Amino acid sequence: MAARIYQRPKSAMQSGKAQTDQWVLEFGPAEARRADPLMGWTGSGDTQVQVVLKFPTCEAAQEYAAKHGIAARVHQTPKKTLKIQAYADNFR
């Protein structure tokens, strides 16, 4: 059972930074999804992908994974770069 630990990014529809400081432990799919012959929906019997655990720090998420024997990879958050630009630069 493989999992990944990452920090939730800011949504494109959000201007603030609410809930971007949380770390998330999310499980990967254990089996392939298949199409239902009657309805055409896709699904699988793997319910572990629905589990999303939130932690205040990366270390807390790693400790939880180690305690429960979960093989987890940490995906570091990329550095944020700001493009400082004046409004007048739009007209040059």
Side-chain angles (χ1 to χ4, degrees), residues 36-49:
D36 181 70
L38 179 63
M39 298 297 290
W41 297 341
T42 59
S44 70
D46 181 25
T47 58
Q48 198 69 10
V49 294

Side-chain angles (χ1 to χ4, degrees), residues 1-6 8 23-29 48-55 61 64-65 70-73 75:
M1 167 174 27
R4 66 185 189 128
I5 299 172
Y6 64 95
R8 181 169 286 164
W23 286 83
V24 177
L25 187 138
E26 194 174 67
F27 294 95
Q48 198 69 10
V49 294
Q50 299 172 3
V51 177
V52 176
L53 302 173
K54 298 175 188 166
F55 297 93
Y64 179 87
I70 301 168
R73 287 191 331 245
H75 296 274

Side-chain angles (χ1 to χ4, degrees), residues 40-92:
W41 297 341
T42 59
S44 70
D46 181 25
T47 58
Q48 198 69 10
V49 294
Q50 299 172 3
V51 177
V52 176
L53 302 173
K54 298 175 188 166
F55 297 93
T57 63
C58 180
E59 290 78 23
Q62 288 175 332
E63 289 174 12
Y64 179 87
K67 180 180 176 182
H68 294 284
I70 301 168
R73 287 191 331 245
V74 177
H75 296 274
Q76 293 298 331
T77 308
K79 294 289 182 187
K80 297 175 183 156
T81 58
L82 294 176
K83 181 180 176 186
I84 306 298
Q85 181 178 342
Y87 180 69
D89 291 341
N90 292 331
F91 303 103
R92 291 186 183 165

Side-chain angles (χ1 to χ4, degrees), residues 13-34:
M13 300 301 294
Q14 146 185 25
S15 61
K17 296 182 179 171
Q19 298 182 358
T20 58
D21 56 342
Q22 294 179 344
W23 286 83
V24 177
L25 187 138
E26 194 174 67
F27 294 95
E31 64 181 51
R33 297 172 66 97
R34 58 190 179 279

